[in-house]
């Protein structure tokens, strides 16, 4: 039987997830949705045969809804996730889990109090084939112990009102999560360097930035964040180990020869670059929820990512190296809990 999904937030990624749940993956049906942009939400509800509700809370508590997807603004995530936990429904919340570590902590507390893991965070890079291959290379010892990581996260242009802080809390947060997952280690310190500012960055945005992270075992990571690079969406990750290196492949695109030049297209944004990762993320989420478990990134992972992003912001503001203090992980999050 199809899992009946309610979606809160039907903007760019929310509508894409509804398309994905309806047309791409199996085992799910979008039955309810809500968005403060009522006109657009009603259009999408009609298109996909879902029921429109005026509020996210109504979607969460609707009896015909088994599980929730949250794709509304960052600031709304925490209240909807807690409402879903209280309703005892599985929820996939787009990243970030919340806009502050304090709110993430409340979510973790609510989930533990409910004695059931229900929350998955939309860190879809963990489902990308390239990152998964890198993890397998590391875990099989094929390059020895990882020593250094060199990473790049470039966007063609930023979204509206993008700030210096958002480059880390909203964008680099993907690296913060996926690298911690690749290395199976938390971070110890961070420092943020500010290179010469691009003249194309709007007021309120210092772009690019370089985020430096050090893991508990001493692995050094550098991440270039450049949200206004103009030429396309470009994500790179190279792990340097004791006996070799491994790096993400460029996404497959046809190689064209024309006018004396070899060329291939660079994707304009994340939606095409990680389309397969989103599909796998949602298929695996539906499959695991049907078994009554959470297998993807948990609220604890969302909490740790937020603590780390906050430390990076502090490091940028102070211009110094800052310690990252991650609390001990509750045993509740040690392994996937089989709730059935
Ligand atoms: P978006 O296009 O602005 O869509 C967000 C939608 O949420 C808008 O339709 C907005 O209404 C609506 N909304 C705002 N507050 C709401 C509320 N209280 N209840 C219900 N709906 C509400 O943004 P987006 O790019 O789709 O991003 C949505 C979320 O996904 C963000 O948290 C973002 O960080 C995340 N995201 C994740 C990835 C990823 O790679 N995993 C990629 C992109 C985005 P209005 O139209 O009136 O503004």
């Amino acid at each position: 039987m199809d899992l009946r999904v309610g979606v809160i937030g039907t903007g760019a990624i929310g509508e894409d997830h509804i398309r994905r749940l309806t047309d791409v993956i199996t085992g799910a049906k979008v039955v309810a949705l809500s968005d403060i942009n009522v006109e657009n939400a009603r259009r999408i509800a009609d298109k996909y045969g879902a029921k429109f509700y005026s509020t996210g809370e109504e979607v969460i508590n609707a009896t015909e809804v088994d599980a929730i997807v949250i794709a509304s603004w960052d600031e709304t995530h925490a209240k909807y996730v807690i409402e879903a936990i209280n309703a005892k429904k599985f929820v996939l919340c787009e990243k970030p889990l919340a806009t502050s570590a304090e709110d993430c902590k409340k979510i973790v507390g609510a989930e533990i109090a409910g004695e059931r893991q229900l929350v998955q965070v939309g860190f879809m890079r963990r489902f990308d084939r390239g990152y998964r291959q890198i993890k397998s290379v590391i875990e099989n010892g094929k390059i020895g112990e990882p020593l250094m990581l060199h990473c790049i996260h470039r966007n063609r242009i930023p979204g509206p009102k993008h700030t210096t802080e958002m480059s880390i809390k909203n964008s680099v947060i993907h690296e913060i999560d996926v690298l911690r997952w690749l290395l199976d280690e938390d971070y110890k310190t961070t420092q943020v360097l500010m290179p010469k500012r691009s003249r194309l960055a709007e007021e309120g945005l210092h772009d690019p930035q370089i985020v430096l992270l050090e893991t508990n075992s001493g692995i050094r990571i550098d991440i270039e964040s450049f949200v206004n690079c103009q030429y396309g969406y470009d994500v790179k990750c190279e792990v340097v180990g004791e006996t070799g290196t491994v790096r993400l492949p460029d996404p497959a695109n046809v190689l064209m020869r024309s006018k004396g030049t070899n060329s291939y297209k660079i994707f304009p944004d994340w939606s095409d670059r990680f389309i397969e990762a989103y599909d796998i993320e949602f298929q695996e989420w539906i499959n695991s929820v049907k078994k009554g478990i959470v297998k993807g990134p948990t609220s604890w992972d969302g909490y740790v990512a937020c603590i780390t992003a906050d430390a990076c912001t502090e490091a940028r503001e102070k211009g110094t190296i800052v310690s990252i203090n991650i609390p001990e992980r509750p045993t509740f999050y040690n392994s996937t809990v089989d709730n059935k």
Side-chain angles (χ1 to χ4, degrees):
M1 211 175 97
D2 283 345
L3 191 82
R4 299 167 302 172
V5 178
V7 178
I8 303 170
T10 54
I13 203 163
E15 182 171 4
D16 200 39
H17 287 334
I18 292 171
R19 174 197 61 78
R20 171 169 291 111
L21 285 160
T22 309
D23 297 337
V24 182
I25 68 167
T26 58
K29 180 169 171 47
V30 177
V31 296
L33 56 79
S34 177
D35 193 292
I36 54 165
N37 184 336
V38 173
E39 199 185 325
N40 191 44
R42 282 194 185 279
R43 175 187 66 77
I44 295 167
D46 286 347
K47 182 173 172 186
Y48 289 96
K51 181 169 176 187
F52 169 81
Y53 283 93
S54 317
T55 67
E57 286 81 356
E58 285 173 272
V59 169
I60 293 167
N61 292 299
T63 50
E64 77 272 20
V65 170
D66 302 317
I68 319 294
V69 170
I70 299 173
S72 45
W73 292 340
D74 296 359
E75 295 74 17
T76 66
H77 292 182
K79 68 169 180 175
Y80 289 139
V81 172
I82 288 180
E83 185 81 19
I85 292 171
N86 290 340
K88 301 192 187 314
K89 291 189 181 174
F90 285 95
V91 53
L92 194 157
C93 177
E94 263 307 338
K95 60 85 209 154
L97 177 60
T99 46
S100 71
E102 206 46 47
D103 277 350
C104 291
K105 193 175 171 187
K106 285 184 195 155
I107 291 169
V108 164
E111 202 176 29
I112 293 175
E115 298 179 354
R116 187 164 191 197
Q117 264 190 49
L118 294 169
V119 182
Q120 180 165 322
V121 184
F123 287 129
M124 81 298 175
R125 289 200 194 175
R126 294 190 186 200
F127 301 86
D128 174 73
R129 275 180 210 281
Y131 279 112
R132 284 185 162 185
Q133 285 171 13
I134 292 179
K135 187 164 175 65
S136 163
V137 165
I138 295 172
E139 286 179 353
N140 289 311
K142 293 196 173 154
I143 57 165
E145 286 287 314
L147 307 172
M148 297 176 281
L149 276 71
H150 308 297
C151 306
I152 286 173
H153 187 155
R154 296 186 190 136
N155 294 75
R156 192 172 60 81
I157 47 169
K161 298 187 190 143
H162 189 98
T163 61
T164 310
E165 186 175 8
M166 283 167 71
S167 291
I168 292 174
K169 289 197 160 182
N170 210 287
S171 180
V172 171
I173 200 154
H174 277 299
E175 270 80 14
I176 289 173
D177 178 73
V178 80
L179 305 181
R180 171 177 169 267
W181 170 77
L182 276 183
L183 299 169
D184 200 17
E185 271 192 54
D186 279 325
Y187 305 113
K188 189 162 66 175
T189 67
T190 180
Q191 185 180 9
V192 178
L193 308 178
M194 306 305 268
K196 181 173 175 176
R197 181 174 180 270
S198 164
R199 291 172 301 162
L200 302 173
E202 293 199 357
E203 206 186 319
L205 172 63
H206 189 122
D207 189 52
Q209 306 179 43
I210 298 171
V211 178
L212 304 177
L213 292 165
E214 180 189 14
T215 70
N216 283 336
S217 76
I219 300 168
R220 293 288 184 164
I221 299 169
D222 53 88
I223 306 162
E224 174 202 304
S225 162
F226 190 10
V227 297
N228 212 341
C229 80
Q230 303 289 309
Y231 70 83
Y233 183 74
D234 208 0
V235 168
K236 299 194 183 302
C237 172
E238 182 185 38
V239 183
V240 181
E242 293 165 311
T243 61
T245 72
V246 58
R247 71 171 174 84
L248 276 184
D250 278 342
N253 266 320
V254 288
L255 181 66
M256 187 171 73
R257 288 176 188 219
S258 171
K259 297 180 182 164
T261 310
N262 269 333
S263 66
Y264 62 90
K265 190 179 163 188
I266 300 175
F267 288 125
D269 64 33
W270 42 267
S271 60
D272 282 326
R273 166 64 181 85
F274 284 111
I275 191 164
E276 198 189 35
Y278 291 114
D279 292 348
I280 297 170
E281 173 190 38
F282 269 71
Q283 188 66 69
E284 292 191 9
W285 179 63
I286 294 295
N287 295 350
S288 64
V289 166
K290 282 182 160 186
K291 291 181 188 144
I293 56 174
V294 176
K295 283 174 108 179
T298 64
S299 4
W300 183 256
D301 297 315
Y303 179 34
V304 171
C306 251
I307 293 174
T308 307
D310 284 351
C312 295
T313 299
E314 186 187 338
R316 177 180 56 76
E317 285 170 355
K318 288 184 174 164
T320 57
I321 298 172
V322 163
S323 297
I324 303 173
N325 301 310
I326 311 281
E328 195 176 331
R329 183 170 58 186
T331 51
F332 182 80
Y333 291 104
N334 277 357
S335 61
T336 304
V337 179
D338 190 339
N339 292 299
K340 280 204 169 152

